[in-house]
């Protein structure tokens, strides 16, 4: 199993970086794709310090850069861990539409394009493979203030579920990983993004109101979980040959989402 080569996108920080290091420490061959050049240098230095230069290769891979993508397709990999993404927050009825398009480009269109290209490569080479998408707890329900971001993850869930069935005959496996609200800085940065454009003199939603909404979700223990738990789970899930299609972590979030989905049938306007 340790002979597998795993490409991770969005490996310059957070879950991606932690999982890249953890998989390399477990003996896998890892290609860590990072968005910008400074992240290349930083992660290469970490790999050197940890003695992982032999099996943690760091490359610039901005999934929106077609030159980066075409270069990545020359790499021989067994698993694509599609982890790169970004988040736009704020009220759905007011968020600038160009930010919506941009969020879908990064979280849906670019990951789909990259996955399609590697899948075609595997099929042409008559070999199996695996794609794991980082979705979100928000791929399965919609909290206030994060509607656009989670809409991209809802779309990713549908794409992955369709692929799961379509690709069985090619021995290509598909999984999603659905993290809860772990404190990597990602959710906090996403929340900050809304205040680039929210203007009390123009928008119906006031900045203080939006801050209170974000605080109600993130300023509590279940909104600030230790990311090590999620990284440890990713290290087990990504290289595995078997397992669940959908992987919500931690368990209390899975239970909360199931309860929410049942109650959704009784929601009234």
């Amino acid at each position: 199993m340790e002979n597998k080569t795993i490409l991770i996108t969005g490996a310059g920080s957070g879950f991606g970086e932690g999982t890249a290091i953890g998989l390399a420490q477990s003996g896998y061959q890892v290609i860590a794709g990072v968005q910008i050049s400074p992240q290349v240098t930083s992660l290469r230095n970490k790999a050197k310090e940890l003695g992982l230069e032999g099996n943690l290769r760091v490359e610039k891979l901005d999934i929106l850069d077609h030159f980066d993508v075409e270069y990545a397709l020359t790499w021989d990999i067994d698993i694509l861990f599609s982890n790169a993404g970004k988040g736009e927050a704020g009220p759905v009825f007011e968020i600038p539409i160009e930010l919506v398009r941009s969020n879908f480009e990064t979280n849906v269109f670019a990951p789909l394009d990259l996955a399609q290209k590697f899948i075609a490569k595997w099929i042409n080479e008559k070999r199996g493979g695996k794609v794991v998408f980082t979705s979100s707890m928000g791929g399965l329900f919609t909290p206030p203030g994060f509607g656009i971001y989670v809409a991209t993850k809802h779309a990713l869930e549908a794409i992955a579920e369709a692929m799961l069935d379509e690709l069985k005959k090619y021995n290509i496996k598909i999984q999603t990983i659905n993290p809860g609200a772990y404190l990597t800085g990602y959710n906090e940065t996403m929340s900050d993004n809304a205040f680039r454009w929210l203007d009390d003199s123009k928008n119906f939603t006031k900045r203080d109101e939006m801050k209170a909404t974000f605080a109600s979700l993130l300023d509590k223990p279940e909104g600030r979980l230790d990311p090590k738990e999620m990284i440890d789970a990713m290290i087990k899930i990504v290289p595995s040959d078997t397992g669940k299609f959908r992987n919500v972590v931690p368990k209390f979030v899975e239970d909360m989402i199931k309860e929410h989905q049942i109650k959704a049938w009784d929601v009234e306007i």
Side-chain angles (χ1 to χ4, degrees), residues 95-231:
I95 188 170
I97 202 70
E98 61 264 37
L99 296 180
V100 179
R101 288 196 181 98
S102 174
N103 210 164
F104 270 82
E105 191 67 51
T106 299
N107 289 13
V108 182
F109 303 140
L112 174 57
D113 179 58
L114 186 64
Q116 284 180 337
K117 286 180 165 69
F118 271 111
I119 288 165
K121 182 179 179 182
W122 291 330
I123 294 173
N124 284 329
E125 293 173 354
K126 295 181 171 54
R127 55 182 286 197
K130 183 179 177 183
V131 181
V132 184
F133 293 100
T134 297
S135 178
S136 168
M137 62 185 289
L140 304 170
F141 86 117
T142 307
F146 295 102
I148 293 304
Y149 167 69
V150 303
T152 68
K153 297 302 187 179
H154 276 65
L156 205 58
E157 290 285 331
I159 286 166
E161 193 166 342
M163 281 185 174
L164 175 70
D165 185 62
E166 294 169 351
L167 294 169
K168 282 179 180 175
K169 65 181 179 181
Y170 299 107
N171 191 30
I172 294 172
K173 298 178 171 68
I174 304 292
Q175 280 180 300
T176 67
I177 297 179
N178 305 68
Y182 287 92
L183 187 60
T184 63
Y186 184 91
N187 294 327
E188 290 70 26
T189 303
M190 175 169 33
S191 302
D192 289 343
N193 284 343
F195 301 104
R196 294 176 298 161
W197 57 269
L198 268 178
D199 184 338
D200 283 357
S201 68
K202 297 177 183 177
N203 292 103
F204 299 107
T205 305
K206 304 308 176 189
R207 292 168 67 90
D208 284 348
E209 179 187 351
M210 198 73 259
K211 287 176 183 175
T213 297
F214 293 147
S216 71
L217 295 167
L218 300 177
D219 288 357
K220 52 187 178 182
E222 56 267 42
R224 306 171 70 83
L225 301 171
D226 182 354
K228 185 180 184 303
E229 178 184 33
M230 189 70 250
I231 291 167

